[in-house]
Amino acid sequence: MENVSNERYMTTRRERVSYWSYFVGQNIFYTIVSTYLLTYLAMIGVSMTKISAVVLIVKIWDAFNDPIFGWIFDKVKFKSGQKSLPWLKISLLAIPLTTIFMFAIPSGLDEGMKLFWFGAAYVLWDTAYTICDVPIYSMVTTMTDNLHERTRLMSTGRITSGAGSAIATAVCTFLVSEKVGVSFTLTVIMLSVVGFFTMLPICIYGQERNYHPEKEEENFSFMLMFKYLIKNKYLLIFYSGYFFSAALNTMGAVTLFASYYLFGSSIFSLLVGALTIAPSLIIALVLPKINKKIDKFVLLIWCNIISVVLGLITYFVGYKNVVAFIILTVLRSAPLSAASFLNFLFTPDCAEYGQYKTGIDAKGITFAIQTFSAKITGAISSSLAMFLLGLFKWIPVTASDFEELQRLNIQQPPEALSGLWITFILVPTIGTIIGIILYSFYKLNDKDVQIMAKYNAGEIDRETAESMLSRKY
């Protein structure tokens, strides 16, 4: 074991770096799809309302896909004695290939065939992403049983995932802008190569030393899965709040259009994004230290409250006051980044609580809920954004990049621009308000989770654990 910061860590430095590197690539792909897919589809001459309908239809598959894979993940035992790594190796090629496929719709196809191509590609990508997302998050529990080490792995993973998103955002926004004019397809191919090589190291250097297949439930049925989910109330409470907050987060889906039509250039979002890097990075670096003194749930609630206040101010100030918009966006980036980092720290806690409460070790199902929530909310937010733009009389465009869009000089009516501003700022703020209300029912704290983890690992007995908990669960 390596001694780091006076703590006994089970993982090596190379493992941790490999684990963090994976999130760079994973979030390159996630950002490409969640942020730029709508813009790409809106620029190949397909109706906004039809695209939103296809996205929701595809999500019917997703509704079954994630829980089924979570069950498979808990059920399957590989001869290698590994839990997560075999799945990560499968996804290593599957994610880049399906991402490229989704952004390579031939321009000569009619609208119906374009929608069919998109639907088929989205199903394949969604499946490939599920195969990676549950294992990479669940792997933190098989790498170590040290709660602080898990927190460091997860919190730093949020920093590197942010780096992946930043890389995808910067490269894609710049290359497809009216200043450069590279096609979406070629841009996605280049980013996919980068994503592949950053996801590769964990498949080589990762170790799962805290995985004990002999202790797992041998007859893990769908009935047990259902029983586990029903009794894991804090998992359901937390992700109900996350669902509304993320599903109404339509900002990312319309960022490029907002930048181009409201602020005069698609590059504007890149410049504003560059200004938010410093506060976001500072928050990410100090958050683990703050979390040692303040429970992460308290931090999450306050970050959401601050972002709501700043969001409402931004909406009423309006987009014509560019300086005020930039200042408010930079200020808002700190609580938004903190909330983003904190969100994914709760799933391991819910996994420990679920095992403590039911005696069922079902980390795959627990992390499948996280994956399902992230993907379904991403699809809903994109679909909702497209629906809202269509509702506000958005004029469809056909262009391979913003250089061509500028050349075509397609203007949007005032009603559409008003709807774009509502979709960009107000709708996400309303989602956060609903999330805060639902989060208020979450009562699981960090100290109790550490005690539950010790009991689940067999370090203390039930009676000792119950005597140490701050309340009865």
Side-chain angles (χ1 to χ4, degrees):
M1 295 184 190
E2 183 183 355
N3 189 290
V4 181
S5 302
N6 299 319
E7 291 188 76
R8 292 177 59 203
Y9 281 7
M10 297 178 72
T11 57
T12 64
R13 187 182 302 277
R14 185 166 64 179
E15 278 183 88
R16 291 194 292 277
V17 172
S18 299
Y19 185 77
W20 297 328
S21 172
Y22 189 91
F23 287 104
V24 175
Q26 187 196 42
N27 277 271
I28 284 176
F29 293 111
Y30 185 80
T31 301
I32 289 171
V33 174
S34 64
T35 303
Y36 297 100
L37 182 60
L38 166 62
T39 307
Y40 169 71
L41 293 171
M43 293 173 68
I44 61 173
V46 180
S47 162
M48 289 283 196
T49 52
K50 290 179 182 178
I51 293 170
S52 65
V54 172
V55 169
L56 289 179
I57 291 171
V58 169
K59 287 298 118 181
I60 294 175
W61 158 246
D62 199 22
F64 295 97
N65 170 21
D66 289 287
I68 289 172
F69 179 73
W71 179 80
I72 293 171
F73 181 77
D74 284 320
K75 187 79 171 174
V76 172
K77 295 181 176 65
F78 291 97
K79 291 182 179 180
S80 63
Q82 297 171 329
K83 182 73 172 177
S84 298
L85 282 169
W87 296 110
L88 296 181
K89 291 174 182 177
I90 293 171
S91 69
L92 186 62
L93 278 175
I95 295 176
L97 292 176
T98 54
T99 304
I100 293 170
F101 182 50
M102 191 154 45
F103 281 83
I105 301 174
S107 58
L109 296 179
D110 61 32
E111 186 179 58
M113 286 304 298
K114 286 177 180 177
L115 288 170
F116 177 78
W117 183 298
F118 161 65
Y122 205 119
V123 167
L124 292 174
W125 180 86
D126 187 88
T127 304
Y129 194 86
T130 300
I131 291 175
C132 91
D133 205 43
V134 172
I136 192 62
Y137 282 105
S138 179
M139 191 172 171
V140 74
T141 64
T142 59
M143 292 172 74
T144 177
D145 61 6
N146 182 318
L147 194 64
H148 287 300
E149 187 176 10
R150 289 181 184 179
T151 298
R152 185 185 177 193
L153 284 167
M154 294 287 284
S155 59
T156 306
R158 299 318 304 159
I159 297 175
T160 55
S161 69
S165 296
I167 290 169
T169 300
V171 172
C172 200
T173 301
F174 179 71
L175 291 183
V176 304
S177 72
E178 65 273 19
K179 304 297 182 182
V180 182
V182 177
S183 70
F184 273 98
T185 303
L186 182 56
T187 300
V188 168
I189 290 173
M190 290 188 286
L191 284 171
S192 294
V193 172
V194 176
F196 171 84
F197 281 107
T198 55
M199 292 166 67
L200 178 62
I202 192 65
C203 297
I204 300 172
Y205 302 118
Q207 294 186 47
E208 299 187 82
R209 57 182 63 77
N210 193 44
Y211 173 51
H212 308 289
E214 70 280 357
K215 293 183 179 181
E216 290 189 337
E217 180 69 51
E218 289 296 325
N219 299 309
F220 192 78
S221 63
F222 276 100
M223 185 58 68
L224 277 176
M225 179 182 77
F226 182 75
K227 174 185 174 183
Y228 172 84
L229 289 175
I230 291 298
K231 290 195 173 183
N232 196 336
K233 65 178 180 179
Y234 292 119
L235 177 70
L236 300 178
I237 289 172
F238 182 81
Y239 276 102
S240 65
Y242 174 85
F243 176 85
F244 283 98
S245 180
L248 271 66
N249 187 13
T250 50
M251 175 182 282
V254 297
T255 294
L256 279 183
F257 280 141
S259 181
Y260 182 80
Y261 280 108
L262 300 180
F263 299 103
S265 172
S266 62
I267 295 291
F268 179 80
S269 64
L270 188 58
L271 297 177
V272 175
L275 294 175
T276 66
I277 290 175
S280 298
L281 184 59
I282 292 170
I283 285 292
L285 292 173
V286 302
L287 203 58
K289 294 180 181 179
I290 296 174
N291 184 216
K292 287 185 177 181
K293 297 181 179 179
I294 304 175
D295 190 274
K296 60 178 173 282
F297 179 72
V298 176
L299 291 174
L300 178 66
I301 293 297
W302 276 108
C303 286
N304 281 328
I305 290 173
I306 294 170
S307 69
V308 164
V309 172
L310 292 174
L312 290 173
I313 294 173
T314 302
Y315 175 74
F316 288 110
V317 166
Y319 61 86
K320 292 183 179 179
N321 192 333
V322 178
V323 175
F325 172 79
I326 293 173
I327 293 172
L328 287 166
T329 300
V330 172
L331 290 175
R332 196 181 180 203
S333 67
L336 283 175
S337 296
S340 175
F341 295 144
L342 289 166
N343 275 332
F344 291 95
L345 300 181
F346 288 90
T347 313
D349 292 2
C350 292
E352 296 293 357
Y353 168 78
Q355 185 176 351
Y356 179 83
K357 187 71 176 177
T358 67
I360 301 171
D361 184 3
K363 294 182 176 66
I365 296 299
T366 309
F367 284 93
I369 295 298
Q370 173 181 297
T371 304
F372 171 75
S373 299
K375 288 194 299 181
I376 192 69
T377 54
I380 290 174
S381 63
S382 295
S383 181
L384 178 61
M386 288 182 276
F387 175 77
L388 290 174
L389 290 184
L391 196 64
F392 286 102
K393 312 302 181 185
W394 187 267
I395 298 174
V397 298
T398 303
S400 62
D401 52 62
F402 281 90
E403 181 187 35
E404 185 178 354
L405 182 61
Q406 185 181 51
R407 191 166 62 249
L408 294 171
N409 193 30
I410 298 175
Q411 301 298 316
Q412 298 294 338
E415 184 182 3
L417 297 181
S418 235
L420 179 58
W421 183 241
I422 290 172
T423 306
F424 188 53
I425 298 294
L426 186 59
V427 175
T429 303
I430 293 172
T432 304
I433 293 172
I434 297 172
I436 291 171
I437 294 171
L438 293 170
Y439 286 144
S440 66
F441 296 97
Y442 186 91
K443 305 298 181 183
L444 196 60
N445 63 63
D446 290 346
K447 291 181 180 179
D448 286 350
V449 171
Q450 181 66 78
I451 295 167
M452 292 174 186
K454 288 182 179 295
Y455 168 76
N456 293 336
E459 296 177 19
I460 57 176
D461 59 30
R462 187 80 180 192
E463 184 178 356
T464 303
E466 290 182 352
S467 67
M468 295 170 67
L469 293 173
S470 63
R471 56 189 293 271
K472 186 175 179 60
Y473 287 92

